């Protein structure tokens, strides 16, 4: 079965207590549980992983290339603005990616306006808080359903 991979980068393990005025009050665990449920309702399995370490995120992306993951939903956190290595990993394995942010980085500090992912993403969802993850899962499931429909004779 085609699976979805939800990756979260540095400091997103602190959701719930981290700058709630910007990132909301919901924990990552609650976000992941809802995202998993939404995926299941659409007939897809969602695998979730968070790390503060760039190399661990790279390893997961590389595994995704071999692991029958149809779409990567990715909030790279601050790596959004710095990581050519994560960008290269996504390009190397050729996985379809949806970029997610809780806040709207375009409306924040100048240094958050640069993303190393937006131009290689299928789409970007930002500024809707935790809802953005649910929207991304729905978009990913719709994409996979359309792709499998197109493959049927
Ligand atoms: C973030 C935005 C980034 O600029 C920031 O470094 C984060 C979270 C977001 O979800 O809004 O860690 O990706």
């Amino acid at each position: 079965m085609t699976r979805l991979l939800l990756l979260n980068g540095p400091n997103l393990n602190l959701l719930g207590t981290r700058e709630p005025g910007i990132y909301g009050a919901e924990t990552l665990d609650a976000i992941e549980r809802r995202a998993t449920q939404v995926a299941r309702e659409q007939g897809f399995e969602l695998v979730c992983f968070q790390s503060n370490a760039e190399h661990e995120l790279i390893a997961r992306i590389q595994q995704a290339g071999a692991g029958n993951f149809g779409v990567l939903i990715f909030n790279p956190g601050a790596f959004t603005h710095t990581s050519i290595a994560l960008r290269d990993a996504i390009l190397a394995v050729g996985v379809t990616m949806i970029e997610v942010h809780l806040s709207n980085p375009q409306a924040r500090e100048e240094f958050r306006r640069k993303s190393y992912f937006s131009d290689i993403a299928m789409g970007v969802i930002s500024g809707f808080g935790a809802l953005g993850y649910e929207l991304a899962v729905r978009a990913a499931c719709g994409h996979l359903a359309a792709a499998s429909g197109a493959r049927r004779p």
Side-chain angles (χ1 to χ4, degrees), residues 10-12 18 23 75-78 80-81 100-105 108 112:
N11 299 310
L12 293 165
R18 176 192 180 195
Y23 298 115
N75 183 347
T80 305
H81 321 296
V100 176
H101 300 284
L102 295 133
S103 67
N104 176 3
R108 299 179 62 192
R112 293 188 204 275

Side-chain angles (χ1 to χ4, degrees), residues 14-110:
L14 299 179
L15 288 179
T17 56
R18 176 192 180 195
E19 299 184 88
I22 297 175
Y23 298 115
E26 213 167 331
T27 63
L28 182 59
D29 187 52
I31 290 170
E32 288 178 344
R33 272 189 277 117
R34 203 173 55 253
T36 302
Q37 180 61 33
V38 171
R40 196 174 295 138
E41 284 164 13
Q42 311 284 318
F44 293 98
E45 183 191 343
L46 181 76
V47 175
C48 303
F49 180 74
Q50 185 277 333
S51 179
N52 296 318
E54 193 175 29
H55 71 97
E56 289 186 1
L57 295 166
I58 291 170
R60 284 296 175 131
I61 292 166
Q62 290 184 358
Q63 286 165 14
N68 196 27
F69 284 98
V71 177
L72 166 64
I73 298 167
F74 193 18
N75 183 347
F79 288 143
T80 305
H81 321 296
T82 62
S83 184
I84 297 169
L86 283 165
R87 175 193 172 94
D88 282 352
I90 291 165
L91 291 173
V93 300
V95 66
T96 300
M97 192 222 11
I98 298 176
E99 181 182 348
V100 176
H101 300 284
L102 295 133
S103 67
N104 176 3
Q106 295 302 321
R108 299 179 62 192
E109 302 95 324
E110 178 71 38

Side-chain angles (χ1 to χ4, degrees), residues 4 34-35 37-39 41-42 44 73 98 125 131-144:
L4 309 175
R34 203 173 55 253
Q37 180 61 33
V38 171
E41 284 164 13
Q42 311 284 318
F44 293 98
I73 298 167
I98 298 176
I125 299 171
L131 174 65
Y133 288 93
E134 188 180 325
L135 298 175
V137 170
R138 290 189 188 282
C141 293
H143 170 74
L144 290 174

